[in-house]
Amino acid sequence: MLMTLGLASTGPAIAQVQVPSQSQNQQAALPRVAVLATGGTIAGTASSETQTTGYTSGVLTADALLKSVPSLGKVAEVSGEQVSNVGSENITNEILLRLAKRVNQLLAQPDIAGVVITHGTDTLEETAYFLNLVVKSDKPVVVTGSMRPSTAISADGPGNILQAVTVAASPDARGRGVMVVLNDRIGSARYTTKTNANTLDTFKSADDGYIGTLIDQVPHFETAVTKLQTTRTPFDVSKLDSLPEVDIVYGHQNDGGYLYDAAVAHGARGIVVAGVGAGSESLLALPSIKKAVDKGVIVVRSSRTGSGYVPEDPAYLGLLGDNLNPQKARILLMLALTITSNPARVQDMFHRF
Ligand code: GLU
């Protein structure tokens, strides 16, 4: 029995290779999981096994990634496709839309049990939350990556791929929204965020905790997320070719406001304030924020602290970003603006999703 691997560098698979899987009898019972590779450290190579910075990300193909985990064939019938092969700092709205459309296409196939996306860790949480809002299926979607390149001693990529495929193949994982799986942990895309630039345990879920853990490669689920996701959101990317421009402006002492002016001049339809503390805005910046709001730009306050809620405060301008960090608030605001520019409706989405 064989695993099939697509080798296209962009878009759907155009070629297939075959790697040994396990016996036909066992394979017949296995769920089918599609792995979509986008690049990142997990596909990166370095010049030595001790080098874990300054390497080249996005080198290995989907084919090579899957071949590095021979035991995948014991948990699922796996097929691979290359959607992009970039460091995740280079994931664009165009790649996000292409990826989301492909995930929805695959999940609509009755023979596909779940989808795994391999991704650079730097912006993994943005792609995961985007998919959490636009995937239209209850089948499991899992995003994974690695902190060490494929050439490192104790590279974490192969183990994370095995865990991600295991979760995507698990009937228990259905209906839980998009999940982030690395380092034995299963987190919700709504909450999981990268908290450390270097270490293996970088992904944390500050306000919600993890939704599960893998022990001996078996997923154990603990909690369910109450924010609405996937089939319970109104977002539809099937006919979208682009997303509205939303910029993030980072608050700090002596914040003069001219970056808000620049965002508006560039055509931003939304601005996320990465405010200090619970979304506070500097008096020096407020005149520029007011000009943006008066022009119809939707401003959303979030916190640069990395966790916690933004409360109502008449001293500041903008909608409340709930407890979404700035980068996730940007994702939701882009999608909200594909439906409405009505501030009350956008605010409602920030409370529900
Ligand atoms: N900057 C690269 C990326 O985001 C490497 C980070 C990683 O994959 O861990 O893809």
Side-chain angles (χ1 to χ4, degrees):
M1 196 28 105
L2 304 164
M3 293 198 294
T4 55
L5 305 172
L7 291 177
S9 59
T10 57
I14 55 166
Q16 305 216 307
V17 297
Q18 299 171 328
V19 294
S21 184
Q22 62 175 50
S23 79
Q24 188 133 14
N25 283 346
Q26 289 163 299
Q27 180 90 24
L30 291 177
R32 258 195 85 190
V33 172
V35 176
L36 302 183
T38 67
T41 299
I42 197 164
T45 56
S47 53
S48 79
E49 65 178 20
T50 53
Q51 187 189 358
T52 56
T53 64
Y55 50 84
T56 314
S57 52
V59 176
L60 299 188
T61 60
D63 169 22
L65 279 181
L66 297 187
K67 279 186 179 156
S68 72
V69 196
S71 46
L72 275 181
K74 291 185 187 144
V75 292
E77 188 187 338
V78 183
S79 59
E81 287 178 31
Q82 200 80 46
V83 172
S84 64
N85 209 355
V86 296
S88 66
E89 64 276 18
N90 294 318
I91 295 281
T92 58
N93 289 352
E94 184 273 323
I95 295 174
L96 275 188
L97 287 169
R98 187 149 44 90
L99 175 67
K101 288 175 189 174
R102 185 64 186 139
V103 170
N104 278 330
Q105 271 173 1
L106 286 163
L107 294 176
Q109 289 178 214
D111 59 331
I112 293 283
V115 170
V116 167
I117 294 108
T118 62
H119 200 287
T121 56
D122 292 351
T123 69
L124 186 153
E125 65 195 84
E126 294 167 56
T127 296
Y129 185 48
F130 183 78
L131 294 173
N132 195 51
L133 295 169
V134 303
V135 162
K136 293 300 154 201
S137 171
D138 283 336
K139 293 178 183 176
V141 175
V142 180
V143 191
T144 192
S146 77
M147 290 301 288
R148 295 179 182 148
S150 64
T151 44
I153 191 163
S154 298
D156 50 330
N160 286 341
I161 291 175
L162 182 59
Q163 293 190 341
V165 170
T166 302
V167 172
S170 163
D172 273 0
R174 284 182 69 104
R176 296 181 185 275
V178 174
M179 290 159 281
V180 175
V181 171
L182 292 97
N183 205 37
D184 301 336
R185 300 293 200 174
I186 307 167
S188 158
R190 170 63 173 70
Y191 292 95
T192 306
T193 185
K194 185 174 184 178
T195 62
N196 185 291
N198 317 108
T199 59
L200 290 192
D201 62 346
T202 178
F203 282 95
K204 308 271 191 224
S205 187
D207 285 325
D208 194 61
Y210 301 104
I211 61 173
T213 307
L214 284 124
I215 301 165
D216 295 332
Q217 295 303 327
V218 177
H220 296 261
F221 290 98
E222 308 293 340
T223 57
V225 171
T226 54
K227 296 286 185 184
L228 304 180
Q229 33 81 6
T230 58
T231 53
R232 298 167 74 202
T233 78
F235 306 117
D236 175 9
V237 292
S238 63
K239 293 182 189 66
L240 294 179
D241 298 321
S242 63
L243 292 166
E245 180 183 329
V246 173
D247 296 312
I248 300 173
V249 180
Y250 199 92
H252 53 84
Q253 294 180 345
N254 207 49
D255 177 1
Y258 58 86
L259 292 178
Y260 292 94
D261 301 336
V264 174
H266 193 262
R269 290 187 49 211
I271 298 175
V272 172
V273 184
V276 299
S280 301
E281 296 159 341
S282 141
L283 280 177
L284 296 175
L286 275 166
S288 294
I289 300 174
K290 180 159 184 342
K291 268 192 272 170
V293 172
D294 289 346
K295 276 198 149 182
V297 175
I298 302 288
V299 173
V300 172
R301 292 167 51 217
S302 65
S303 170
R304 70 172 195 178
T305 64
S307 61
Y309 285 85
V310 170
E312 295 264 13
D313 191 328
Y316 306 121
L317 290 171
L319 307 181
L320 311 178
D322 204 80
N323 63 350
L324 287 171
N325 66 26
Q327 56 272 32
K328 288 181 199 269
R330 173 181 166 271
I331 295 290
L332 177 53
L333 186 50
M334 286 195 299
L335 286 168
L337 288 167
T338 65
I339 293 181
T340 181
S341 312
N342 177 308
R345 286 188 66 197
V346 175
Q347 181 63 79
D348 181 56
M349 293 180 191
F350 270 85
H351 289 318
R352 289 191 298 139
F353 310 131

